[in-house]
Amino acid sequence: MQPTSAPMLRVMTVGAHALFVLLLGLGVARVVADGSSPVVTTAVAVALLGWYGSGMWFARKADPTRDSSWGRFWLAVLVAGWLLLVVLDPSFVWVAFPLYFLCFHLLSTRAALAATVGITAAAIGGSLWHGASNPVASVLGPIFGAAASAGMALVYQQLLENARQRGKLYEELSIAHNELLSAQDELAALQREAGAAEERARLARDIHDTLAQGFSSIVLLARAGQRGDPVAVLGQIEETASGGLDEARRVVGALTPAVMDGASLVSALDRVTAQLRDHTGIDATVVVDGAPVAVPMEYDVALLRVAQGALANVRLHSAAERVRVTLSYAEDEVRLDVVDDGVGFDPDAPRGRSFGIRSMRERLDSLGGSLVVESAPGDGTALAATLPVPS
């Protein structure tokens, strides 16, 4: 963004150039008309115009961020040429007006004011030296012209500075915009990574709660068959393997658990507890407390997975005779309690921090719920899973 691209600045810049050429041309015309040394004066005027034009060309090619000593030298030569024209003929006194503008454009404000005073004094002195017919006008004209030109030049400088500040602000906004786009790309990458990690955790929990528990059941049934009637156990093994196969298909597709196809959470809990009774002989019961409350399917799935994991631990580790699964509905929460009379364990021991319990807690945390496990060696285990009811 170039500051001079603003319409007002462009008009003022073109006007200053046109004023210089116009006043210089009027001076040459008067010299030619009066017939006083027209050849020498015209040659100096043409040379000065050429020098002015070369300065314009160099200004377009120069780097504005570098030192402007070339501009001061160019202006000094231009003023010197103007002084020579004033000495030759008073008609060129009024070319001082565009020089004021150039002084404020190329010099500092203090130096420009000093140069303006000097040029004004030279203009007045030139007019008086050539014997002006109206001395008062020869004095007041350059002074008023200097004041007006200086004012316009100061306005131009202010507009130029505002344009530069806008250009700088535009560059800063562009940089900030690019940084924002980069941050958005990084955030999107992090979100993709977080999504992938969450999906891996979900698969790990589902595999643990379904396939791994099913394989454990098959191992226990196979061992029981080796000690007893293998034919009677084969049906149970086939049933467990078939259920595990269905769960594997649904885990891959992230669908509803097979045990909940077309059934409520209570019915699903009845099925898993009935399977536990048939396979182990443990007295497993389901109790519903309160009127069922409509909750999202993912809540029912989470509570079912917790129940499956808890009952798998009862089967594998508790040596319990009885286990009770209680599903309680309240206005603001749904609670699942699994209590057994087994050997219990120390929750602070490695088993209390196992993947199974950790996966239960992560599953509930993702829905805003909580998990509490209370147990002690020889005193059974009580597990409580709570989920808030969405408003």
Side-chain angles (χ1 to χ4, degrees):
M1 177 179 179
Q2 295 294 333
T4 55
S5 62
M8 181 62 69
L9 294 176
R10 184 178 297 276
V11 169
M12 294 182 69
T13 302
V14 173
H17 297 327
L19 182 63
F20 180 87
V21 175
L22 177 62
L23 293 177
L24 190 64
L26 289 176
V28 172
R30 290 189 61 180
V31 168
V32 172
D34 294 343
S36 55
S37 304
V39 177
V40 176
T41 304
T42 302
V44 174
V46 171
L48 189 64
L49 181 61
W51 178 256
Y52 187 87
S54 68
M56 293 172 55
W57 176 85
F58 192 80
R60 290 195 299 268
K61 297 297 183 181
D63 184 357
T65 62
R66 296 180 180 175
D67 181 65
S68 60
S69 57
W70 66 269
R72 293 192 292 269
F73 171 74
W74 175 81
L75 179 62
V77 174
L78 190 69
V79 172
W82 169 75
L83 289 174
L84 179 58
L85 287 175
V86 171
V87 171
L88 293 175
D89 194 282
S91 301
F92 295 98
V93 168
W94 306 111
V95 181
F97 293 158
L99 294 181
Y100 298 144
F101 189 85
L102 292 172
C103 288
F104 281 92
H105 182 64
L106 297 175
L107 304 176
S108 64
T109 302
R110 181 175 299 179
L113 290 174
T116 299
V117 172
I119 293 174
T120 303
I124 295 173
S127 297
L128 296 177
W129 182 68
H130 283 286
S133 59
N134 190 344
V136 176
S138 299
V139 173
L140 295 181
I143 292 176
F144 290 153
S149 299
M152 291 180 60
L154 289 175
V155 172
Y156 175 83
Q157 289 298 104
Q158 186 61 44
L159 292 175
L160 184 63
E161 181 62 25
N162 291 340
R164 288 173 178 168
Q165 291 178 358
R166 288 195 299 270
K168 183 178 180 181
L169 179 61
Y170 175 79
E171 293 177 358
E172 292 176 353
L173 289 176
S174 298
I175 294 174
H177 178 68
N178 293 332
E179 291 177 351
L180 178 61
L181 292 178
S182 299
Q184 289 177 341
D185 293 339
E186 293 178 0
L187 179 60
L190 291 175
Q191 289 176 338
R192 287 194 295 271
E193 294 177 0
E198 182 179 357
E199 183 64 13
R200 287 194 295 269
R202 181 192 69 81
L203 289 175
R205 290 193 298 266
D206 287 349
I207 291 173
H208 176 272
D209 294 341
T210 57
L211 303 183
Q213 304 296 354
F215 290 144
S216 298
S217 299
I218 291 173
V219 170
L220 292 178
L221 291 172
R223 291 175 180 173
Q226 292 175 355
R227 294 190 298 269
D229 183 6
V231 176
V233 177
L234 285 177
Q236 297 178 346
I237 292 178
E238 180 183 2
E239 178 186 356
T240 303
S242 178
L245 181 59
D246 291 339
E247 290 290 355
R249 291 169 178 168
R250 285 163 173 79
V251 166
V252 173
L255 301 177
T256 306
V259 72
M260 291 194 68
D261 282 349
S264 65
L265 176 59
V266 177
S267 299
L269 292 175
D270 286 335
R271 293 183 188 180
V272 295
T273 53
Q275 187 180 54
L276 179 65
R277 285 195 304 271
D278 295 341
H279 291 181
T280 64
I282 297 176
D283 181 12
T285 57
V286 176
V287 177
V288 179
D289 185 12
V293 178
V295 295
M297 176 59 71
E298 57 183 341
Y299 280 48
D300 288 342
V301 172
L303 293 175
L304 177 62
R305 293 303 191 200
V306 170
Q308 288 177 320
L311 294 177
N313 288 335
V314 170
R315 178 201 299 262
L316 296 175
H317 309 294
S318 70
E321 295 181 0
R322 288 180 298 275
V323 59
R324 178 170 177 167
V325 179
T326 303
L327 183 62
S328 304
Y329 290 99
E331 292 183 358
D332 57 347
E333 69 177 19
V334 180
R335 179 186 176 105
L336 177 74
D337 294 281
V338 181
V339 182
D340 68 68
D341 62 353
V343 297
F345 66 98
D346 183 3
D348 296 329
R351 177 189 166 190
R353 300 188 295 271
S354 66
F355 179 82
I357 295 179
R358 187 170 70 250
S359 67
M360 296 179 200
R361 184 168 283 112
E362 290 176 354
R363 187 186 297 276
L364 295 172
D365 287 343
S366 65
L367 300 176
S370 62
L371 178 71
V372 177
V373 179
E374 296 180 356
S375 183
D379 197 23
T381 300
L383 180 146
T386 305
L387 284 175
V389 174
S391 58

